[in-house]
Amino acid sequence: MAPRTYAVRRALTHAIFFLSGSAGLIYEVVWSRLLKEVFGVTAYAVAAVLATYLGGLALGAWALGGLVDRRARPLRFYGQLEICIGVLALLTAPLLRFFEPIDRLAATRLAPDSFLLIAIRLALASLVILPPTFVMGATLPAMTKAMVSRLGRLSRELAFLYALNTAGAVAGCLVAGALLIRTIGVHPSLWLAAALNFLVGAAALTLSRQEAVAEPPEVSAGKAAGAQPGLLIAITLAGTASLALEVIWTRVLVLVLGGSTHAFVTMLAVFLFGIALGSFLLRLFVDRLREPRRAFGYLQAAIAISILATIPAMSALVGASQVWLYQLELHWVQLLLGRFGIAAAIMIVPTTLIGMSFPLAARLYVGSVEKLGSGLGQVYGANTLGNIAGAVLGGFVLLPLVGMDRGLVLLTALNFAAAAWGFWPRERAGRWISGAAFGAAATAVVAMIALWHPQPFRSIEEEPSDRTLFYEEGLVSTVKVLQRALDGEQRVMLVDNVRIGQSSRGVDYKQQVLAHFPFLLVPRIERVLSIGLGTGIAAGEAARHPTVSRVDCVELSPSVIRGAQYFAPFNGDVLRNPKVRVI
């Protein structure tokens, strides 16, 4: 093949892999929206979507990686995978409509937080999302196999492909979150992503006509030739830390950027951009590493240290940047750039280092081109399996039990554990030194947790002299109740640093108006539905009417319900009112 023709073919192959990454993130955004319409917006439902998405990728990488090695034309196989993804993705919307009555039946008969309801929703989400994501899991091993002809090129090529695919994911995240859903809607966005898969698949099949046909090797079961004992555990721990980190950072940055879709897309895009940047930078020097295993250890230790460095940065940014962002509310472009700048100031260094972990682990694990697909699939699957554990650990364990700051400190223990594998010598001599160093690092982490008392994040709504009566970093939101120093009767409730209610000289007059105005239109009301508990003043005022026999109040955040207890003198002790049922 002529050099110019080869260069064009190579550039086109890279371009379609970028588009494949874009389609993947459009699917994630769209499926999250579609599943929220069916399953609700509880934290458990969101975690079910994320776990199913990542679980499909992990299973596909593990199960189909060996199949890649048995294909004489891996680029052709890659094209077939992309077309299959598009077909399966188009079936997700009809499947959701089919399963909606099942979910509705379960939701009306089971408690919202019951394990059985969560299990049913996870099973339904798996039936919808697992088939296309299972096939997605094999695309990276297939493309890497197509682009790598000898083992010496694996590290550079894989790092570049991983960076390229992740950069495509950044583009898909931004386009879907900020443009597509708003302009063309959820279902057309799904169709557009499927069209991208069909386009990528057709282009790959066309390019594969010039692909050299290799004799499929006999691939034996077992580990890749270069597999190192413990590496899969180390990369699983690293993957767990990275996704838990994303979950906690998302909650922290909500305090600064707000809870809008644009703010969330900003956070996700910066996280993915850092991973893409790290993969690309690794490509520049990975072949010059003399001791890649030790380099992996240094990398994980650097991730842990950079995570610890973000904690004081977050505390400073939460208070200082809020006023600045409020001033930009009417200037959309400046506001978007400001949000990116704040998110990048916190996340860019750790995420860049995280982006180097997977390609470096793949270099350590894959020992031959013949077993590239299976070896790469195992590393990718282990890393993604860690991501699933991290999503659960960050959202359901660390945040509610220890809070954001301590949660970040605890996560560094996972990176230090992964670093210990990198530093652990193969010979017995010197192992006690490595063990002692790891023990010292673990002791330091435990000591930081035990001795350090993080302060609640401060909002621009509060004065230094105000007293914090209640503060909880809960499963859904961060809630704070303040006692004003200048007014002993005024209490304020902040949810994610936004004031949602207050008592001023005994009551919040806005909440009074909201509660009593409907009774001017319909004098005799017997049942009331209140969306959002907040301080409880609105529900309490509605319950005062003698004609009212029952008030149902729906609240998403358990932390808000606990915070409302501090407004009992002003809401008529609504949580103990027999007329009122909080759902």
Side-chain angles (χ1 to χ4, degrees):
M1 185 183 300
R4 182 178 178 84
T5 304
Y6 175 78
V8 171
R9 179 178 176 273
R10 185 178 177 83
L12 288 174
T13 306
H14 287 155
I16 64 175
F17 202 50
F18 177 90
L19 292 176
S20 175
S22 300
L25 252 290
I26 293 173
Y27 284 135
E28 184 175 356
V29 173
V30 168
W31 286 334
S32 296
R33 290 290 297 270
L34 288 174
L35 285 164
K36 283 178 183 178
E37 292 174 9
V38 178
F39 300 154
V41 294
T42 66
Y44 297 106
V46 174
V49 175
L50 184 59
T52 305
Y53 186 94
L54 294 172
L57 295 178
L59 288 172
W62 263 325
L64 301 179
L67 189 60
V68 170
D69 292 326
R70 294 192 289 272
R71 296 291 174 172
R73 289 184 172 180
L75 186 59
R76 181 182 179 184
F77 182 54
Y78 170 81
Q80 294 168 345
L81 291 173
E82 290 286 346
I83 293 174
C84 185
I85 292 168
V87 172
L88 293 172
L90 287 176
L91 296 175
T92 56
L95 277 174
L96 272 174
R97 286 195 294 269
F98 177 78
F99 290 139
E100 187 172 357
I102 302 174
D103 176 73
R104 188 162 56 243
L105 183 68
T108 55
R109 285 163 172 74
L110 300 170
D113 58 350
S114 72
F115 176 79
L116 182 56
L117 179 60
I118 296 169
I120 291 172
R121 286 178 164 171
L122 182 60
L124 295 178
S126 300
L127 290 173
V128 174
I129 297 178
L130 208 57
T133 54
F134 178 82
V135 181
M136 278 185 203
T139 55
L140 180 62
M143 179 58 81
T144 307
K145 180 80 171 182
M147 300 299 289
V148 175
S149 58
R150 53 189 175 86
L151 190 62
R153 290 182 52 196
L154 171 63
S155 302
R156 286 172 54 85
E157 194 63 52
L158 173 61
F160 184 69
L161 288 172
Y162 190 60
L164 199 65
N165 196 246
T166 308
V170 174
C173 171
L174 291 174
V175 170
L179 182 64
L180 287 180
I181 292 177
R182 180 171 61 88
T183 54
I184 66 175
V186 175
H187 287 88
S189 299
L190 178 69
W191 303 335
L192 179 62
L196 280 178
N197 285 128
F198 293 140
L199 175 64
V200 167
L205 291 176
T206 302
L207 291 170
S208 70
R209 295 174 182 173
Q210 301 174 345
E211 187 176 19
V213 180
E215 190 68 28
E218 293 293 329
V219 181
S220 58
K223 293 181 179 179
Q228 307 245 12
L231 175 58
L232 292 183
I233 297 176
I235 196 62
T236 301
L237 293 175
T240 302
S242 65
L243 238 293
L245 193 63
E246 181 184 349
V247 171
I248 294 176
W249 274 342
T250 298
R251 286 291 302 279
V252 172
L253 288 169
V254 161
L255 302 178
V256 183
L257 307 181
S260 68
T261 300
H262 289 167
F264 175 75
V265 167
T266 299
M267 291 180 266
L268 182 57
V270 171
F271 192 92
L272 293 172
F273 175 79
I275 291 176
L277 179 63
S279 300
F280 181 79
L281 292 177
L282 180 71
R283 178 176 181 263
L284 303 178
F285 61 85
V286 65
D287 288 334
R288 296 197 295 272
L289 294 175
R290 294 182 178 179
E291 296 184 56
R293 175 169 173 164
R294 187 166 291 273
F296 183 85
Y298 282 121
L299 178 62
Q300 295 305 314
I303 292 171
I305 293 169
S306 66
I307 292 171
L308 294 175
T310 65
I311 296 175
M314 290 186 305
S315 298
L317 282 171
V318 167
S321 58
Q322 281 183 299
V323 176
W324 177 56
L325 288 176
Y326 285 150
Q327 293 172 348
L328 298 177
E329 283 290 342
L330 298 179
H331 307 280
W332 190 82
V333 175
Q334 292 94 320
L335 179 62
L336 184 64
L337 293 175
R339 284 171 170 168
F340 269 105
I342 291 169
I346 294 175
M347 297 194 296
I348 195 65
V349 174
T351 54
T352 299
L353 296 173
I354 290 170
M356 299 180 182
S357 296
F358 168 69
L360 186 55
R363 174 187 172 176
L364 287 164
Y365 195 80
V366 178
S368 66
V369 175
E370 289 75 18
K371 294 186 178 182
L372 189 154
S374 59
L376 192 57
Q378 289 176 44
V379 178
Y380 185 65
N383 187 56
T384 309
L385 186 65
N387 291 161
I388 300 171
V392 176
L393 178 67
F396 299 108
V397 180
L398 294 181
L399 277 174
L401 293 184
V402 300
M404 292 182 275
D405 284 357
R406 284 197 177 101
L408 291 175
V409 176
L410 279 174
L411 286 178
T412 62
L414 298 179
N415 290 112
F416 280 128
W421 175 85
F423 294 137
W424 197 261
R426 297 181 182 180
E427 300 80 13
R428 290 188 177 275
R431 285 186 178 179
W432 68 271
I433 299 177
S434 297
F438 174 68
T443 302
V445 170
V446 172
M448 288 183 68
I449 294 293
L451 301 176
W452 180 47
H453 300 284
Q455 296 298 314
F457 289 103
R458 185 170 293 277
S459 166
I460 60 172
E461 292 279 350
E462 58 188 293
E463 299 293 335
S465 56
D466 291 343
R467 187 160 63 99
T468 300
L469 300 178
F470 173 80
Y471 180 76
E472 184 171 286
E473 296 168 0
L475 190 64
V476 178
S477 58
T478 300
V479 178
K480 181 188 283 189
V481 176
L482 301 172
Q483 175 76 59
R484 292 295 192 195
L486 300 179
D487 183 355
E489 292 186 332
Q490 186 174 16
R491 293 181 180 179
V492 178
M493 177 180 282
L494 304 174
V495 177
D496 290 335
N497 265 3
V498 176
R499 183 175 61 190
I500 66 162
Q502 64 181 8
S503 62
S504 181
R505 286 176 174 62
V507 74
D508 186 337
Y509 294 112
K510 180 187 71 174
Q511 299 296 323
Q512 275 190 319
V513 171
L514 288 173
H516 296 303
F517 185 75
F519 291 88
L520 299 176
L521 303 177
V522 183
R524 185 173 182 83
I525 298 176
E526 296 182 0
R527 296 182 62 184
V528 176
L529 172 64
S530 177
I531 307 297
L533 175 65
T535 61
I537 291 174
E541 290 291 310
R544 289 174 57 189
H545 286 265
T547 61
V548 173
S549 61
R550 180 166 138 187
V551 177
D552 287 332
C553 182
V554 180
E555 173 58 53
L556 287 174
S557 172
S559 302
V560 168
I561 299 173
R562 287 188 280 273
Q565 297 174 4
Y566 291 84
F567 291 85
F570 315 109
N571 61 27
D573 203 4
V574 67
L575 296 177
R576 296 185 181 181
N577 191 325
K579 286 185 178 181
V580 180
R581 181 179 66 160
V582 179
I583 304 170

